[in-house]
Amino acid sequence: MNRRHTLVLPHQVATQLRQHLFPGDGLEAAALLLCANVGQARDKLLGREVIPVPHDACVRKPNFLTWPGEYVEAAIDRATQRGDVIIAVHSHPGGFYEFSNADDESDKVLMGALRHGTDAIAGSAIMVPDGALRARLYHDDRTATPVDLVMEIGPDLRCWWNEGATPNGPQRPPMAFTGAMRGWLSRLSVCVVGVSGTGSIVAEQLTRLGIGEIILIDFDKLEERNLNRILNSTVAEIGIDKVEMFAGAIRRYRPDCGVVPVTQSIATREAVLAACASDVLFSCVDTGEGRHIADRLSAFFAMPLFDVGVAIPTEPTADGGRRISEIYGRVDYVYPGGSSLMDRGVYDGALLEAEYLARVAPQAHAQKVADGYLRGVHEEAPGVITLNMRAASACVIEFLARVFPFRQFPNEAHARTIFMLAEADEDIFAEGRFTAGNRFPIACGPTEPLLGLPDLGTKGRWT
């Protein structure tokens, strides 16, 4: 996957930009977008704050705009406090999806001021009425480099690629489940946290669908008891890291896919920094701590999050045995600024405390140990691959529905899906069913301590 620059817009930021840039009068308007820079393998800019330039402070025409420098100075002051990158955004009400000669001339003056004012790269961008945004960056005062991908993270995952764009507009996403979809996916990077019973199936589907890069995070090693539910695992690989085993399998059938195995817990600095480089996050873990880290990653790094889980609760029978009371599968989609997994009750503070107690005082926690897949029944090697397959498939289909919309109703109505096999039923929950607690800052990037967690902090700032 060959990509140098990405700009990510949380849904709230993109909406604020659209509303200001297109007030309905058909005239150009301007704003300054402040972005955190996640710069490691490639620049990834996270739009976190909009400074609108008031309409009445500008000279505005359908294809012409001038605005006073005081707002540039205000943006520079704000950006230098946090090390932000500034992107100057203006509208093209007529829908012209290209930088004009006037835009080029304006950038010659403005980009130098922004760069020297912030001691960082700077950028300019245009937005057309449907919200599509095209951007470019300046690493010096005169040479512009296109932003390869602008991505809006909301109920839908809107991707605007510089490649394939014309003055008439961006390249439209292909129809879902077609061969053309594979080419589109080949330009995206995903991260799968937890490469075990469910995670290995999610990773397998994503890779075979054509995803361009996959980051695999899991600290565990393959055991014999895992062989009945982890795809691609063999007896010969017992004892090696799960992610290394799975990465080797991918390289055999998808040599064109970039694979990054990370043999660490997601609750480590190394794993968090690896995960945040991706475009989409898949949480396939079985702990509250893992989901808590995924929640924070989604917010701090403006990432779409797909979380999948399964459960088989059991109950006692009259003869002293136990029976299955239900078989559940759950998929949650979380976007920054919406309700989090914690808001939805997927985990809570009590669970996090119990898991911490299990690590530091296992004897005191002996009575609270989770039963695994079948609650109330101890099973070393449960036969759950069919349940995992269904839940993992639902998770990946949820992802496809966000990038290549195919539903007959808005994706906003599909924040959570729960299927119940014993009852033969499926429940769907809209985003509006949950209350966003605004627990975490949005798109602030790699501030210290990382994710706001002291255990992930460092004395030196990560860049």
Side-chain angles (χ1 to χ4, degrees), residues 32 67 72 88 105-115 122-124:
L32 294 152
W67 39 292
V72 173
E105 291 301 314
S106 175
D107 279 3
K108 289 178 181 179
V109 177
L110 181 55
M111 292 301 108
L114 293 177
R115 287 189 64 258
S124 64

Side-chain angles (χ1 to χ4, degrees), residues 85-216:
V85 171
I86 301 175
I87 297 179
V89 189
H90 71 281
S91 57
H92 279 185
F96 182 61
Y97 197 64
E98 183 65 86
F99 292 95
S100 67
N101 292 334
D103 296 336
D104 295 339
E105 291 301 314
S106 175
D107 279 3
K108 289 178 181 179
V109 177
L110 181 55
M111 292 301 108
L114 293 177
R115 287 189 64 258
H116 294 291
T118 60
D119 196 27
I121 61 175
S124 64
I126 55 172
M127 180 178 279
V128 293
D130 71 351
L133 190 141
R134 194 172 192 179
R136 56 188 180 183
L137 298 176
Y138 288 81
H139 293 79
D140 58 43
D141 292 351
R142 291 187 173 272
T143 306
T145 302
V147 172
D148 303 294
L149 169 64
V150 180
M151 192 172 188
E152 180 183 335
I153 311 299
D156 298 321
L157 299 181
R158 304 183 70 191
C159 297
W160 301 298
W161 299 94
N162 185 69
E163 180 185 353
T166 71
N168 295 323
Q171 185 183 32
R172 294 182 178 276
M175 185 183 298
F177 307 108
T178 63
M181 184 184 78
R182 184 180 183 87
W184 190 279
L185 292 175
S186 71
R187 297 183 284 184
L188 289 177
S189 172
V190 301
C191 176
V192 178
V193 182
V195 190
S196 196
T198 306
S200 69
I201 303 169
V202 167
E204 182 86 354
Q205 291 179 76
L206 292 168
T207 307
R208 293 190 182 273
L209 282 168
I211 209 74
E213 179 184 73
I214 187 165
I215 300 165
L216 305 171

Side-chain angles (χ1 to χ4, degrees), residues 114-347:
L114 293 177
R115 287 189 64 258
H116 294 291
T118 60
D119 196 27
I121 61 175
S124 64
I126 55 172
M127 180 178 279
V128 293
D130 71 351
L133 190 141
R134 194 172 192 179
R136 56 188 180 183
L137 298 176
Y138 288 81
H139 293 79
D140 58 43
D141 292 351
R142 291 187 173 272
T143 306
T145 302
V147 172
D148 303 294
L149 169 64
V150 180
M151 192 172 188
E152 180 183 335
I153 311 299
D156 298 321
L157 299 181
R158 304 183 70 191
C159 297
W160 301 298
W161 299 94
N162 185 69
E163 180 185 353
T166 71
N168 295 323
Q171 185 183 32
R172 294 182 178 276
M175 185 183 298
F177 307 108
T178 63
M181 184 184 78
R182 184 180 183 87
W184 190 279
L185 292 175
S186 71
R187 297 183 284 184
L188 289 177
S189 172
V190 301
C191 176
V192 178
V193 182
V195 190
S196 196
T198 306
S200 69
I201 303 169
V202 167
E204 182 86 354
Q205 291 179 76
L206 292 168
T207 307
R208 293 190 182 273
L209 282 168
I211 209 74
E213 179 184 73
I214 187 165
I215 300 165
L216 305 171
I217 298 177
D218 198 313
F219 68 92
D220 213 354
K221 296 185 182 296
L222 186 68
E223 301 179 52
E224 183 177 1
R225 63 193 180 98
N226 303 142
L227 297 180
N228 70 345
R229 59 187 181 274
I230 297 182
L231 299 191
N232 298 308
S233 61
T234 67
V235 171
E237 292 159 317
I238 292 174
I240 73 169
D241 295 313
K242 290 177 180 177
V243 293
E244 294 291 354
M245 176 277 296
F246 207 87
I250 291 174
R251 293 183 184 117
R252 288 192 293 273
Y253 65 80
R254 272 290 312 282
D256 61 321
C257 179
V259 188
V260 182
V262 180
T263 55
Q264 299 285 338
S265 163
I266 189 57
T268 62
R269 186 176 180 86
E270 179 184 351
V272 167
L273 295 180
C276 73
S278 66
D279 301 312
V280 184
L281 183 64
F282 291 85
S283 167
C284 308
V285 297
D286 56 4
T287 65
E289 181 187 45
R291 292 189 166 101
H292 182 56
I293 298 294
D295 245 356
R296 287 178 174 265
L297 267 165
S298 174
F300 278 71
F301 290 94
M303 303 180 71
L305 167 63
F306 296 86
D307 181 75
V308 58
V310 298
I312 309 175
T314 65
E315 59 188 14
T317 58
D319 60 3
R322 300 193 71 85
R323 71 178 188 88
I324 288 173
S325 57
E326 189 50 270
I327 303 171
Y328 293 105
R330 174 193 53 79
V331 175
D332 274 274
Y333 171 64
V334 169
Y335 60 87
S339 60
S340 66
L341 294 176
M342 194 173 197
D343 292 332
R344 301 178 187 186
V346 177
Y347 68 94

Side-chain angles (χ1 to χ4, degrees), residues 16 53 75 95 105 127 207 355 372 408:
Q16 184 182 358
V53 181
E105 291 301 314
M127 180 178 279
T207 307
E355 290 179 353
Q408 296 182 6

